[in-house]
Amino acid sequence: MLRPKIPTNPIPTGIVTPPAVVEPTTVIPSTPAPQPTPVVPAAPVSSRPTVQLTPGALVAVVGGGTAVVLVVGAVLVSLLLAVAITGVSVAVCTVVLRSLLTSQTKHHR
């Protein structure tokens, strides 16, 4: 009953270029180059890159980190404030509705 329709590829309407013919090339072996003799360093060299911070770069990193902390803190405090305001407003609405319902039943008798 429900059979998927398989899309058919339309006939190309633009300029169709035939595929390029790739001709194989021959590899000519050459004589191997002699291996260079290893140079022994006078002192051991660390493979880890060294990071050197200038005073200006250090101030920039500290300032950027401080800005990130302040922005994230402001966002979290505003979210907490929004949740608190929402909770208080729901509580006020509940108290008002309860008061309206109880006063309506008292006056109805």
Side-chain angles (χ1 to χ4, degrees), residues 70-86:
L70 288 176
V71 168
V72 169
V75 168
L76 291 177
V77 166
S78 64
L79 286 173
L80 182 63
L81 186 63
V83 168
I85 290 173
T86 304

Side-chain angles (χ1 to χ4, degrees), residues 7-97:
T8 59
N9 289 334
I11 299 173
T13 57
I15 299 173
V16 179
T17 57
V21 178
V22 178
E23 295 184 13
T25 58
T26 57
V27 178
I28 301 170
S30 62
T31 58
Q35 300 242 341
T37 57
V39 177
V40 179
V45 178
S46 174
S47 63
R48 293 183 290 173
T50 58
V51 177
Q52 295 177 350
L53 289 177
T54 62
L58 188 62
V59 168
V61 167
V62 169
T66 304
V68 167
V69 167
L70 288 176
V71 168
V72 169
V75 168
L76 291 177
V77 166
S78 64
L79 286 173
L80 182 63
L81 186 63
V83 168
I85 290 173
T86 304
V88 168
S89 63
V90 167
V92 168
C93 288
T94 305
V95 169
V96 169
L97 284 175

